[in-house]
Amino acid sequence: MLRVIIINGPNLNLLGRREPEIYGEDTFEDFMIHLKGKFVESDVELTYFQSNHEGELLEKLHEVGFHYDGIILNAGAYTHTSVALADAVSGIETPVIEVHISNVHKREAFRHHSYLSPVAEGIIVGFGLRGYELAVEYFL
Ligand code: DQA
């Protein structure tokens, strides 16, 4: 059984209510039901963690990063600011896929740089919530 965790960072608890023209109208909880349904026949256990606190995201990466098979990380705005998260991704053993719901390269210049991309296994950007699904497929 493959163990994969989705870790979402700041403001992603507001999905469905936050700028729906950019991030869509689905809540992440509803999306998780869809995602688990989609992979119900597959040999994968999917878990979800969200925090608005950088330190909690670091602690979750440390906690799962030596025994999970895959981490799907959308660090939200910390993507563009956090050396600490990049160091955590470098320091753990589990491969990390960086996901962004929106195409950050179409948006403001400050979203074009990611501290995580150089240390991620791969990057999925701009495919909406579908990006998380593609990341699970990669790990499978
Ligand atoms: C985001 C893009 C980030 O620039 C932004 O700060 C977010 C969401 C995305 O999924 O498109 O919070 O990571």
Side-chain angles (χ1 to χ4, degrees):
M1 172 73 81
L2 218 59
R3 281 209 279 181
V4 174
I5 184 167
I6 295 173
I7 301 180
N8 275 344
N11 299 309
L12 290 162
N13 55 309
L14 295 180
L15 277 180
R17 286 190 286 162
R18 168 196 189 197
E19 302 178 90
E21 63 291 352
I22 298 176
Y23 298 112
E25 288 180 357
D26 299 331
T27 67
F28 208 81
E29 287 69 23
D30 285 344
F31 174 71
M32 275 309 288
I33 293 169
H34 157 81
L35 196 69
K36 286 185 174 169
K38 168 131 194 182
F39 292 105
V40 74
E41 309 269 287
S42 309
D43 204 24
V44 61
E45 179 194 277
L46 293 170
T47 47
Y48 169 53
F49 176 79
Q50 189 276 332
S51 176
N52 294 317
H53 302 271
E54 191 173 8
E56 284 181 7
L57 296 168
L58 289 169
E59 278 161 9
K60 185 52 82 173
L61 287 168
H62 300 169
E63 181 192 318
V64 299
F66 294 91
H67 61 283
Y68 272 56
D69 300 294
I71 297 171
I72 301 169
L73 176 62
N74 183 349
Y78 290 144
T79 306
H80 318 298
T81 63
S82 180
V83 175
L85 279 177
D87 283 349
V89 171
S90 297
I92 60 179
E93 285 168 3
T94 304
V96 172
I97 298 189
E98 176 185 353
V99 167
H100 298 286
I101 296 165
S102 64
N103 180 353
V104 285
H105 298 288
K106 262 195 206 166
R107 302 180 62 193
E108 303 96 317
F110 66 83
R111 295 185 204 279
H112 298 178
H113 177 261
S114 163
Y115 282 102
L116 304 177
S117 297
V119 291
E121 171 112 350
I123 306 151
I124 301 174
V125 169
F127 292 101
L129 293 176
R130 191 79 218 287
Y132 294 92
E133 218 166 291
L134 296 169
V136 174
E137 270 166 28
Y138 168 78
F139 283 127
L140 279 170

Coordinates of all heavy atoms in Angstrom, one line a residue, residues 6-32 48-50 52 74 76 99-102 107 128-130 132:
I6 N -1.3 14.8 0.9 CA -1.4 16.1 0.3 C -1.2 17.1 1.4 O -1.9 17.0 2.4 CB -2.8 16.3 -0.4 CG1 -2.9 15.3 -1.6 CG2 -3.0 17.7 -0.8 CD1 -4.3 15.3 -2.2
I7 N -0.3 18.0 1.2 CA -0.1 19.1 2.2 C -0.3 20.4 1.6 O 0.3 20.8 0.6 CB 1.4 19.0 2.8 CG1 1.7 17.6 3.4 CG2 1.6 20.1 3.8 CD1 3.1 17.5 4.0
N8 N -1.3 21.1 2.1 CA -1.7 22.4 1.6 C -1.3 23.5 2.6 O -1.5 23.3 3.8 CB -3.2 22.5 1.3 CG -3.6 22.0 -0.1 OD1 -2.7 21.8 -1.0 ND2 -4.9 21.7 -0.3
G9 N -0.8 24.6 2.1 CA -0.3 25.7 2.9 C -1.4 26.8 3.1 O -2.6 26.6 2.9
P10 N -0.9 28.0 3.4 CA -1.8 29.1 3.8 C -2.9 29.4 2.8 O -2.6 29.5 1.6 CB -0.8 30.3 4.0 CG 0.4 29.9 3.3 CD 0.5 28.4 3.3
N11 N -4.0 29.7 3.3 CA -5.2 30.2 2.6 C -5.9 29.1 1.8 O -7.0 29.4 1.2 CB -4.9 31.4 1.7 CG -4.3 32.6 2.5 OD1 -5.0 33.0 3.5 ND2 -3.2 33.1 2.2
L12 N -5.3 28.0 1.7 CA -5.9 26.9 0.8 C -7.1 26.3 1.6 O -7.9 25.6 0.9 CB -4.9 25.9 0.4 CG -3.9 26.6 -0.7 CD1 -2.7 25.8 -0.8 CD2 -4.6 26.7 -2.0
N13 N -7.3 26.6 2.9 CA -8.5 26.2 3.6 C -9.7 27.0 3.0 O -10.8 26.6 3.3 CB -8.4 26.4 5.1 CG -7.9 27.8 5.4 OD1 -7.0 28.3 4.9 ND2 -8.6 28.4 6.3
L14 N -9.4 28.1 2.3 CA -10.5 29.0 1.8 C -11.0 28.6 0.4 O -11.8 29.2 -0.2 CB -10.1 30.4 1.8 CG -9.8 31.1 3.2 CD1 -9.4 32.5 2.9 CD2 -11.0 31.0 4.1
L15 N -10.4 27.5 -0.1 CA -10.8 27.1 -1.5 C -12.3 26.9 -1.6 O -13.0 26.4 -0.7 CB -10.1 25.7 -1.8 CG -8.7 25.8 -2.3 CD1 -8.2 24.4 -2.7 CD2 -8.6 26.7 -3.6
G16 N -12.8 27.4 -2.7 CA -14.3 27.4 -2.9 C -14.9 28.8 -2.6 O -15.8 29.2 -3.2
R17 N -14.2 29.5 -1.7 CA -14.7 30.8 -1.3 C -13.7 31.9 -1.7 O -14.1 33.1 -1.9 CB -14.9 30.9 0.2 CG -16.1 30.2 0.7 CD -16.3 30.5 2.2 NE -15.4 29.9 3.0 CZ -15.1 30.3 4.3 NH1 -15.7 31.3 4.8 NH2 -14.2 29.6 5.0
R18 N -12.4 31.5 -1.9 CA -11.4 32.5 -2.1 C -11.2 32.6 -3.6 O -11.0 31.7 -4.4 CB -10.1 31.9 -1.6 CG -8.8 32.5 -2.0 CD -7.7 31.6 -1.7 NE -6.4 32.4 -1.8 CZ -5.2 31.8 -2.0 NH1 -5.1 30.5 -1.9 NH2 -4.2 32.6 -2.2
E19 N -11.3 33.8 -4.2 CA -11.1 34.2 -5.6 C -11.5 33.0 -6.5 O -10.6 32.4 -7.2 CB -9.6 34.5 -5.8 CG -9.2 35.7 -4.9 CD -7.7 36.1 -5.1 OE1 -7.4 36.9 -6.0 OE2 -6.9 35.5 -4.4
P20 N -12.8 32.6 -6.5 CA -13.2 31.4 -7.3 C -12.8 31.5 -8.8 O -12.7 30.5 -9.4 CB -14.7 31.3 -7.1 CG -15.1 32.6 -6.5 CD -13.9 33.2 -5.8
E21 N -12.7 32.8 -9.3 CA -12.3 32.9 -10.7 C -10.9 32.4 -11.0 O -10.5 32.0 -12.1 CB -12.5 34.3 -11.2 CG -11.7 35.4 -10.6 CD -12.0 35.8 -9.1 OE1 -13.0 35.3 -8.6 OE2 -11.2 36.5 -8.6
I22 N -10.1 32.4 -9.9 CA -8.7 31.8 -10.0 C -8.6 30.4 -9.6 O -8.0 29.5 -10.2 CB -7.7 32.7 -9.2 CG1 -7.7 34.1 -9.7 CG2 -6.3 32.1 -9.3 CD1 -6.8 35.1 -8.9
Y23 N -9.2 30.1 -8.4 CA -9.0 28.8 -7.8 C -10.2 27.8 -7.9 O -10.1 26.7 -7.4 CB -8.7 29.0 -6.3 CG -7.4 29.8 -6.1 CD1 -7.4 31.1 -5.6 CD2 -6.2 29.3 -6.5 CE1 -6.2 31.8 -5.4 CE2 -5.0 30.0 -6.3 CZ -5.0 31.3 -5.8 OH -3.9 32.0 -5.6
G24 N -11.3 28.3 -8.5 CA -12.4 27.4 -8.7 C -13.4 27.4 -7.5 O -13.2 28.2 -6.5
E25 N -14.5 26.7 -7.6 CA -15.6 26.8 -6.7 C -15.7 25.6 -5.8 O -16.6 25.5 -4.9 CB -16.9 27.0 -7.4 CG -17.0 28.4 -8.0 CD -18.2 28.8 -8.8 OE1 -19.1 27.9 -8.9 OE2 -18.3 29.9 -9.2
D26 N -14.8 24.6 -5.9 CA -14.8 23.4 -5.1 C -14.1 23.6 -3.8 O -13.0 24.2 -3.8 CB -14.2 22.2 -5.8 CG -14.9 21.9 -7.1 OD1 -16.1 22.2 -7.2 OD2 -14.2 21.4 -8.0
T27 N -14.6 23.1 -2.7 CA -13.8 23.1 -1.5 C -12.9 21.9 -1.5 O -13.1 20.9 -2.3 CB -14.7 22.9 -0.2 OG1 -15.3 21.6 -0.3 CG2 -15.9 23.9 -0.2
F28 N -11.8 22.0 -0.8 CA -10.8 20.9 -0.9 C -11.4 19.6 -0.2 O -11.1 18.5 -0.7 CB -9.5 21.2 -0.2 CG -8.4 20.5 -0.9 CD1 -7.8 20.9 -2.1 CD2 -7.9 19.3 -0.3 CE1 -6.8 20.1 -2.7 CE2 -6.9 18.6 -0.9 CZ -6.4 19.0 -2.1
E29 N -12.3 19.8 0.8 CA -12.9 18.6 1.4 C -13.7 17.8 0.4 O -13.7 16.6 0.3 CB -13.8 19.0 2.6 CG -13.0 19.5 3.8 CD -12.2 20.8 3.6 OE1 -12.6 21.6 2.8 OE2 -11.2 21.0 4.4
D30 N -14.5 18.6 -0.5 CA -15.3 17.9 -1.5 C -14.4 17.2 -2.5 O -14.6 16.1 -3.0 CB -16.2 18.9 -2.2 CG -17.4 19.3 -1.4 OD1 -17.7 18.6 -0.4 OD2 -18.1 20.3 -1.7
F31 N -13.3 18.0 -2.9 CA -12.4 17.4 -3.8 C -11.7 16.1 -3.3 O -11.5 15.2 -4.1 CB -11.3 18.4 -4.2 CG -10.2 17.9 -5.1 CD1 -10.5 17.6 -6.4 CD2 -9.0 17.6 -4.6 CE1 -9.5 17.0 -7.2 CE2 -8.0 17.1 -5.4 CZ -8.3 16.8 -6.7
M32 N -11.4 16.1 -2.0 CA -10.8 14.9 -1.4 C -11.8 13.7 -1.5 O -11.3 12.5 -1.8 CB -10.5 15.1 0.1 CG -9.1 15.7 0.3 SD -7.7 15.0 -0.5 CE -7.5 13.5 0.4
Y48 N -4.7 14.0 3.9 CA -4.7 15.4 3.6 C -4.4 16.2 4.9 O -5.0 15.9 6.0 CB -6.1 15.8 3.1 CG -6.3 17.3 3.0 CD1 -5.5 18.1 2.3 CD2 -7.5 17.8 3.5 CE1 -5.7 19.4 2.2 CE2 -7.7 19.2 3.4 CZ -6.8 20.0 2.8 OH -7.0 21.3 2.7
F49 N -3.5 17.2 4.8 CA -3.2 18.1 5.9 C -3.1 19.5 5.3 O -2.6 19.7 4.3 CB -1.9 17.7 6.5 CG -1.4 18.6 7.6 CD1 -1.9 18.5 8.8 CD2 -0.4 19.5 7.3 CE1 -1.4 19.3 9.9 CE2 0.0 20.4 8.3 CZ -0.5 20.3 9.6
Q50 N -3.7 20.4 6.1 CA -3.6 21.8 5.7 C -3.2 22.7 6.9 O -3.7 22.4 8.0 CB -5.0 22.3 5.1 CG -5.0 23.7 4.5 CD -5.1 24.9 5.5 OE1 -5.7 24.7 6.6 NE2 -4.5 26.0 5.2
N52 N -2.1 26.9 8.0 CA -1.7 28.3 7.7 C -0.4 28.7 8.3 O 0.0 29.9 8.2 CB -2.8 29.3 8.1 CG -4.1 29.0 7.3 OD1 -4.1 28.8 6.1 ND2 -5.3 29.0 8.0
N74 N 1.4 21.8 -1.9 CA 1.0 23.2 -2.4 C 1.3 24.1 -1.2 O 0.4 24.2 -0.4 CB -0.4 23.2 -2.9 CG -0.7 24.6 -3.5 OD1 0.0 25.6 -3.3 ND2 -1.9 24.7 -4.2
G76 N 1.3 27.2 -1.2 CA 0.7 28.5 -1.3 C 1.7 29.6 -1.4 O 2.8 29.4 -2.0
V99 N 2.7 21.3 -6.4 CA 1.5 21.6 -7.2 C 1.0 23.0 -6.9 O 1.1 23.5 -5.8 CB 0.4 20.6 -6.8 CG1 -1.0 21.0 -7.4 CG2 0.7 19.2 -7.2
H100 N 0.6 23.7 -8.0 CA -0.1 24.9 -7.9 C -1.4 24.8 -8.8 O -1.3 24.4 -9.9 CB 0.7 26.1 -8.4 CG 1.9 26.3 -7.5 ND1 1.9 26.8 -6.2 CD2 3.2 25.9 -7.7 CE1 3.1 26.7 -5.7 NE2 3.9 26.2 -6.6
I101 N -2.5 25.3 -8.2 CA -3.8 25.2 -8.8 C -3.8 26.2 -10.0 O -4.2 25.8 -11.1 CB -4.9 25.6 -7.8 CG1 -4.9 24.6 -6.7 CG2 -6.2 25.7 -8.5 CD1 -5.7 25.0 -5.5
S102 N -3.3 27.4 -9.8 CA -3.3 28.4 -10.9 C -2.0 28.3 -11.6 O -1.0 27.7 -11.1 CB -3.5 29.8 -10.3 OG -2.4 30.1 -9.4
R107 N 0.7 34.9 -13.8 CA 0.3 35.9 -12.8 C 1.4 36.9 -12.4 O 2.4 37.0 -13.2 CB -0.2 35.1 -11.5 CG -1.4 34.2 -12.0 CD -2.0 33.4 -10.8 NE -2.5 34.3 -9.8 CZ -2.8 33.9 -8.5 NH1 -2.6 32.6 -8.2 NH2 -3.3 34.8 -7.7
G128 N -5.6 23.4 -12.3 CA -6.6 23.4 -11.3 C -6.4 22.3 -10.3 O -5.3 21.8 -10.1
L129 N -7.5 21.8 -9.7 CA -7.4 20.7 -8.7 C -7.0 19.4 -9.4 O -6.4 18.5 -8.7 CB -8.7 20.5 -8.0 CG -9.2 21.7 -7.1 CD1 -10.6 21.4 -6.5 CD2 -8.2 21.9 -6.0
R130 N -7.2 19.3 -10.7 CA -6.7 18.2 -11.5 C -5.2 17.9 -11.2 O -4.7 16.7 -11.3 CB -7.0 18.5 -12.9 CG -6.8 17.4 -14.0 CD -8.0 16.5 -14.0 NE -7.5 15.2 -14.3 CZ -7.0 14.8 -15.4 NH1 -7.0 15.6 -16.5 NH2 -6.5 13.6 -15.6
Y132 N -3.5 17.8 -8.5 CA -3.3 16.8 -7.4 C -3.5 15.4 -7.9 O -2.9 14.5 -7.5 CB -4.3 17.1 -6.3 CG -4.1 18.5 -5.6 CD1 -4.7 19.6 -6.0 CD2 -3.2 18.6 -4.5 CE1 -4.6 20.8 -5.3 CE2 -3.0 19.8 -3.8 CZ -3.7 20.9 -4.3 OH -3.5 22.1 -3.6

